[in-house]
Amino acid sequence: MPKTVIIGGVAGGATAAARLRRKDESMEIVMFERGDYISYANCGLPYYIGNVIQNRNSLLLQTPAAMKAKFNIDVRTSCEVQKISKDTQTLWIRNLKTGDEYEESYDTLIIATGSSPLKPPIPGIDGRHIYTLWTIPDTDAIKEVVSKESLKRAAVIGGGFIGLEMAENLRKAGIEVTIIEMLDQVMAPVDYEMAQLLHENIRANQVELILKDGVDSFQEVDNHTVIHLKSGKMITVDMVLLSIGVRPNSSLARKAGLELNARGGIVVDDFLRTSDEHIYAVGDVIEVTHYISDDKTMIPLAGPANKQGRICADNITGNHVPYKGTMGTSVAQVFDLTAAAVGLNEKALKAAGKQKGHDYETVLISQKSHAGYYPGATPITLKLIFGRDGSIYGAQIIGQDGVDKRIDTIAVTMRLKGTVNDLAELELAYAPPYSSAKDPVNMLGFTAQNVLEGLVSFIEYNEMDFLMADQSKKDTYTILDVTEEVERMVFSIPGSVHIPLGKLRSRLGELDKKRLIIPYCSIGVRSYNAARILMQNGFTQVKVLSAGTSFYKSMHNDSTSQTKKESPDQGDPVEGSLCERKEIKIIDCCGLQCPGPIMKVHEELSSLKQDQILQVSATDMGFTKDIDAWCRRTGNILLKTERKGCENIVYIKKGPDHCECDISQTESTLTPASSQGKTLIVFSGDLDKVLASFIIANGAAAMGRPVTMFFTFWGLNALRKETKQHVSKTFVEKMFGFMMPRGIGKLKLSQMNMGGMGTKMMKKVMRDKNVSSLEELMKKAMASGIKLVACTMSMDVMGIKKEELIDGVEFAGVTSYLGNAEEANVNLFV
């Protein structure tokens, strides 16, 4: 009678055991699990903590007693395998409860030991308020703390699946949450621009998000944990959850002499057999082949682990079934949004040396989850990565509804070696509550076909930013706004020319055919139509802004001003009283395509009397910010915003300065509300002048004002790192770098420097008078949210590279600065 022993009783191990029994009733099957639980739903653990899953027993999919009764499997929990002896085909076992040790033989062995959370050697990481979430006991410990202790603030270290899910559930429990991620984005499977949609939504849900900053140490102070970040920032919390990543539990395999890869993953063949013919391995612990790239990789997901367990059991019982690889299909709920991905992302292609436009193409589109005229339609953003031959490399989708079925549709198409043509031709179920006649997946296929056929070319948001920042190219392009006048009240790209799509044919003579024309609209449909008009009328250089301004605004969300609302003491409605007022007029804009919501608001508000209130609901995620901008431009008052399910609900009071002008009027006739922002151009590199700049900036920030500091020419020296950075430079650039001061510590006074003595005297007097040093003022400014912007044009002129500037600095051109200056009521040149 053959005997199979399985090490590990979750996901792959439990699936393999059940499949083995179904295939062979006579086989002896023994399963060892060092924990107390087997076959539990570890993906559901965050939702139990957040009370979405209320019954703890719902997480336990199988118990040892049930496995014995149903499948006649000998399950031994709290038993740890100490050693594998390949030569004698035996295991050394230790019972963790009794301490007894014994030997167990096997004919075939399956290693399904999974993975464990990473705990890097950070000082203080083993503190008593620091947790990881991976097992049922982990869950019980966190649940008890959240339920019984008066937690006020928690920090999640890492922005992966578990980290984001835990942040959401802790927030639902009424706890203030900070997410700290060392990379520039959360959710690594998606590309940066898609992750930016998640960043925007995370912050909209009152969660602090810190990116590009790592933990330097943890310190326990007065029953709290102080997190010291590498930037110098400190955060005090009641609980820390580590979600930094996972590592394969492969120490047993290593000690047994099995072949491992560089990351510690067990190397297996196509049939999941290790380097020993009697030993198989499945799940997070193994190296897999990526189905798309054919490269070796590690993809720790539950879906692949379960499929591997089934295939492994089939091969042990006499079949010859290959495991054909993993695409990494994944989906996660992130507050109001669902994020999903499949296949390769653009980061992976670039890392492999692939070039966009030569080796692959991308399309990015914005669609509705179902027919826009049917209630409840919400926007979804889809990105497709594909080859010049039409083969599909990967896809990413983010939205509120319908994301999962679209990513699954694309995943199936990829698994069957389908192309973008197949996406265009798919016949998918349609009814208004569920989809559109042209499903978003079809639209991805249509758009990709248009790219391959040369009918359209796109420019990405960052490519246009770089173009606008390069002053030497300002006469080589025209940014063309083809939206309606009312949309331009809400938002326009600085410097753009406005010709609504309906008037484009009659006004083509206003555009220069020698220039690159970049048409844009809200989501990209009208700008594509504009591009076709232009290209068929002799314009040879046309690039459509990818996904339109709805996406573009999200990519620049950090610079979006916050809504200023009237305070209750001025007679405004407050929480709980707004809905009781009879003079409120309610309109529903849910599902309307842009510019529908703004047009409808304009029409309805124009019919109201001063101080009457309009309640508007819309499903567009960007509607709240759009209506904020519109109110500021038209003299109306945005009283309150809230979210109910998928809807954004806003309350607008018709203001005394409401613009009753026709929507065809130009921007200059509108009445903008005054802004309280401050902008400073730091041109000088002198210590006293830079010091004055930061004192003014910090003072403005302390008053709650948005502040932008634009560093240009000599002022850039204040942003340089004090240590020399090894970057490639020309001879002239090296000479510039040698002659200029490196960092704020090297700046000198503009007057009375006296060979450096005056500068030292100034610093001493500041210390004696308890005046913050320039270094302290800069740190305070960055911690207060003051934007430090380096002029890219000046950097090029002076030979300063991005790597030489301190972390946290943004890079932009004059156009970006002017955009902030237009929103400010104070502009200083220092």
Side-chain angles (χ1 to χ4, degrees):
M1 183 172 60
K3 179 179 180 181
T4 298
V5 174
I6 303 169
I7 307 175
V10 183
T15 297
R19 180 68 172 176
L20 282 171
R21 175 58 70 224
R22 295 188 188 103
K23 295 294 293 287
D24 189 340
E25 181 64 23
S26 65
M27 178 181 289
E28 182 182 357
I29 305 171
V30 180
M31 179 191 295
F32 290 103
E33 168 57 49
R34 66 180 177 184
D36 292 331
Y37 303 90
I38 64 163
S39 190
Y40 57 85
N42 51 2
C43 294
L45 302 183
Y47 300 102
Y48 170 63
I49 292 173
N51 286 326
V52 177
I53 299 172
Q54 297 189 2
N55 188 345
R56 180 179 180 275
N57 291 332
S58 299
L59 301 171
L60 306 177
L61 306 180
Q62 288 284 359
T63 64
M67 287 289 279
K68 179 65 175 177
K70 295 177 182 178
F71 301 104
N72 191 26
I73 294 171
D74 182 2
V75 179
R76 306 178 193 176
T77 57
S78 300
C79 288
E80 185 174 44
V81 178
Q82 303 283 308
K83 178 183 176 182
I84 301 171
S85 177
K86 294 187 301 181
D87 297 335
T88 60
Q89 292 182 224
T90 55
L91 307 173
W92 288 95
I93 316 297
R94 183 171 186 269
N95 188 309
L96 297 178
K97 291 185 176 179
T98 66
D100 295 338
E101 295 187 359
Y102 61 95
E103 189 176 10
E104 189 78 30
S105 64
Y106 66 84
D107 296 311
T108 304
L109 178 66
I110 302 175
I111 300 176
T113 45
S115 57
S116 296
L118 278 172
K119 292 188 70 174
I122 299 173
I125 199 168
D126 293 319
R128 62 193 180 101
H129 301 299
I130 300 176
Y131 300 86
T132 59
L133 179 62
W134 206 246
T135 66
I136 294 291
D138 292 341
T139 308
D140 292 338
I142 296 173
K143 180 75 170 178
E144 183 176 4
V145 170
V146 171
S147 301
K148 296 184 179 180
E149 296 188 18
S150 56
L151 294 185
K152 293 183 179 179
R153 191 169 184 189
V156 176
I157 314 299
F161 287 91
I162 292 178
L164 295 181
E165 289 167 351
M166 274 301 301
E168 176 182 355
N169 282 282
L170 289 172
R171 190 73 191 94
K172 286 179 178 177
I175 299 169
E176 293 183 22
V177 180
T178 298
I179 299 173
I180 301 168
E181 170 56 60
M182 188 166 59
L183 301 178
D184 63 354
Q185 68 166 84
V186 301
M187 196 68 73
V190 304
D191 288 312
Y192 173 80
E193 70 272 20
M194 298 295 279
Q196 183 72 347
L197 298 174
L198 301 178
H199 301 161
E200 181 182 31
N201 189 50
I202 288 168
R203 292 176 173 127
N205 280 276
Q206 290 78 53
V207 170
E208 182 182 19
L209 178 60
I210 299 174
L211 300 171
K212 296 188 291 185
D213 205 352
V215 177
D216 191 59
S217 66
F218 298 100
Q219 179 184 12
E220 188 172 330
V221 178
D222 296 332
N223 206 33
H224 301 292
T225 299
V226 179
I227 307 170
H228 297 265
L229 301 182
K230 294 186 181 298
S231 64
K233 185 174 183 178
M234 292 185 295
I235 300 170
T236 302
V237 296
D238 302 310
M239 186 186 83
V240 176
L241 180 85
L242 299 178
S243 181
I244 301 173
V246 297
R247 57 172 176 78
N249 294 329
S250 57
S251 59
L252 267 178
R254 178 181 285 106
K255 292 175 184 177
L258 299 178
E259 183 181 356
L260 306 181
N261 67 10
R263 295 171 60 185
I266 300 175
V267 175
V268 296
D269 63 15
D270 291 344
F271 304 96
L272 302 172
R273 195 190 304 263
T274 70
S275 54
D276 183 281
E277 62 176 337
H278 300 290
I279 303 177
Y280 292 76
V282 298
D284 292 4
V285 76
I286 70 169
E287 173 187 84
V288 296
T289 300
H290 199 290
Y291 187 78
I292 304 301
S293 67
D294 207 36
D295 293 330
K296 299 298 183 182
T297 186
M298 304 283 290
I299 301 180
L301 292 171
N306 279 278
K307 294 174 183 65
Q308 291 158 15
R310 176 186 173 89
I311 290 173
C312 177
D314 285 348
N315 289 328
I316 290 172
T317 53
N319 293 64
H320 202 62
V321 182
Y323 181 68
K324 297 178 181 178
T326 302
M327 294 193 298
T329 310
S330 57
V331 64
Q333 180 176 302
V334 185
F335 293 96
D336 307 316
L337 295 178
T338 298
V342 61
L344 299 171
N345 55 34
E346 199 172 355
K347 291 177 294 187
L349 289 173
K350 289 179 178 178
K354 305 296 183 182
Q355 295 182 2
K356 184 178 178 181
H358 182 268
D359 300 300
Y360 71 92
E361 299 284 356
T362 68
V363 293
L364 190 70
I365 65 173
S366 179
Q367 295 287 297
K368 292 291 184 183
S369 57
H370 59 250
Y373 57 83
Y374 187 87
T378 58
I380 56 176
T381 303
L382 305 92
K383 178 176 182 178
L384 187 71
I385 306 168
F386 56 99
R388 296 292 304 172
D389 61 352
S391 56
I392 306 171
Y393 295 153
Q396 300 156 36
I397 309 178
I398 292 177
Q400 292 175 291
D401 184 40
V403 169
D404 53 343
K405 71 175 182 177
R406 270 72 187 221
I407 205 70
D408 286 343
T409 301
I410 298 171
V412 170
T413 305
M414 292 171 64
R415 197 79 188 188
L416 299 177
K417 302 295 184 184
T419 67
V420 297
N421 296 322
D422 293 302
L423 294 183
E425 295 171 5
L426 285 175
E427 183 179 346
L428 303 172
Y430 160 60
Y434 304 106
S435 184
S436 301
K438 292 181 287 188
D439 188 88
V441 172
N442 296 136
M443 293 301 297
L444 270 181
F446 297 153
T447 310
Q449 285 179 329
N450 289 340
V451 169
L452 295 178
E453 293 171 12
L455 294 177
V456 67
S457 181
F458 290 101
I459 185 170
E460 304 301 328
Y461 79 97
N462 54 344
E463 294 173 330
M464 194 168 79
D465 285 347
F466 285 130
L467 185 64
M468 294 168 63
D470 190 342
Q471 293 300 300
S472 67
K473 295 182 179 179
K474 64 179 181 179
D475 296 326
T476 65
Y477 65 90
T478 296
I479 301 174
L480 177 62
D481 181 350
V482 298
T483 65
E484 298 302 314
E485 294 284 354
V486 69
E487 293 175 86
R488 202 163 168 85
M489 294 181 188
V490 174
F491 176 82
S492 64
I493 295 176
S496 59
V497 173
H498 186 216
I499 305 178
L501 178 62
K503 299 178 181 179
L504 181 58
R505 288 183 179 87
S506 63
R507 296 175 60 181
L508 288 174
E510 300 176 25
L511 301 172
D512 187 348
K513 291 184 178 180
K514 295 180 181 179
R515 289 187 171 204
L516 166 65
I517 310 297
I518 306 173
Y520 75 80
C521 64
S522 177
I523 62 173
V525 176
R526 287 169 291 172
S527 49
Y528 167 62
N529 290 329
R532 295 306 304 146
I533 293 172
L534 293 166
M535 294 171 70
Q536 294 179 84
N537 279 278
F539 290 83
T540 57
Q541 301 180 78
V542 182
K543 288 181 177 289
V544 173
L545 177 60
S546 184
T549 55
S550 60
F551 188 79
Y552 183 84
K553 286 182 288 185
S554 291
M555 296 305 101
H556 300 81
N557 181 51
D558 290 344
S559 62
T560 303
S561 62
Q562 295 297 313
T563 304
K564 184 179 180 181
K565 305 174 183 62
E566 287 188 357
S567 57
D569 59 8
Q570 293 175 308
D572 290 327
V574 294
E575 294 282 342
S577 61
L578 270 172
C579 296
E580 298 170 3
R581 295 184 51 159
K582 295 181 180 180
E583 65 268 33
I584 287 180
K585 185 172 183 180
I586 301 174
I587 62 171
D588 183 359
C589 296
C590 294
L592 287 184
Q593 291 280 4
C594 194
I598 295 295
M599 294 282 286
K600 198 166 183 179
V601 168
H602 177 86
E603 293 169 4
E604 296 291 342
L605 206 59
S606 296
S607 66
L608 298 183
K609 297 179 181 179
Q610 182 180 327
D611 292 338
Q612 283 188 304
I613 296 170
L614 187 68
Q615 176 187 323
V616 189
S617 57
T619 47
D620 188 342
M621 288 291 287
F623 177 71
T624 300
K625 287 192 176 69
D626 285 350
I627 207 67
D628 176 10
W630 185 84
C631 286
R632 287 186 286 115
R633 302 292 295 277
T634 57
N636 295 295
I637 302 163
L638 181 57
L639 298 173
K640 176 187 172 186
T641 65
E642 61 184 5
R643 283 192 63 79
K644 290 184 179 179
C646 294
E647 295 184 13
N648 294 294
I649 300 179
V650 302
Y651 297 85
I652 307 165
K653 184 169 76 172
K654 186 170 181 177
D657 299 322
H658 170 72
C659 177
E660 294 290 354
C661 58
D662 187 85
I663 61 172
S664 63
Q665 290 182 292
T666 60
E667 275 191 291
S668 60
T669 63
L670 301 177
T671 306
S674 61
S675 172
Q676 298 298 313
K678 318 296 177 187
T679 52
L680 295 87
I681 299 177
V682 185
F683 178 86
S684 172
D686 296 326
L687 172 64
D688 44 340
K689 295 177 181 178
V690 175
L691 185 66
S693 300
F694 274 102
I695 290 174
I696 294 170
N698 280 316
M703 296 171 65
R705 309 302 191 223
V707 182
T708 298
M709 301 180 72
F710 188 74
F711 292 79
T712 184
F713 285 98
W714 312 116
L716 288 169
N717 292 316
L719 302 181
R720 295 180 71 193
K721 294 176 181 175
E722 296 188 0
T723 56
K724 184 176 181 181
Q725 304 297 305
H726 298 287
V727 292
S728 177
K729 289 191 175 188
T730 64
F731 175 75
V732 174
E733 290 173 336
K734 289 180 180 177
M735 291 299 295
F736 260 111
F738 177 75
M739 292 186 291
M740 294 187 299
R742 185 182 291 122
I744 53 179
K746 300 293 184 180
L747 301 185
K748 300 176 182 178
L749 292 175
S750 60
Q751 303 287 332
M752 300 176 59
N753 183 51
M754 298 181 294
M757 184 174 297
T759 300
K760 292 180 179 178
M761 291 173 62
M762 170 67 79
K763 292 182 177 179
K764 182 180 185 303
V765 171
M766 289 172 64
R767 286 195 300 269
D768 293 344
K769 299 292 185 180
N770 291 321
V771 177
S772 298
S773 67
L774 182 52
E775 291 85 350
E776 292 168 337
L777 288 170
M778 180 178 282
K779 287 182 179 179
K780 183 179 179 181
M782 297 178 75
S784 300
I786 294 174
K787 290 172 58 178
L788 309 185
V789 182
C791 174
T792 52
M793 183 274 291
S794 298
M795 290 172 62
D796 290 339
V797 170
M798 303 181 75
I800 296 176
K801 307 298 183 183
K802 290 183 178 182
E803 294 84 356
E804 294 182 273
L805 301 188
I806 60 175
D807 295 334
V809 172
E810 298 181 23
F811 303 92
V814 175
T815 302
S816 177
Y817 164 75
L818 291 176
N820 287 309
E822 286 184 358
E823 293 287 330
N825 66 351
V826 173
N827 295 287
L828 300 177
F829 185 94
V830 183

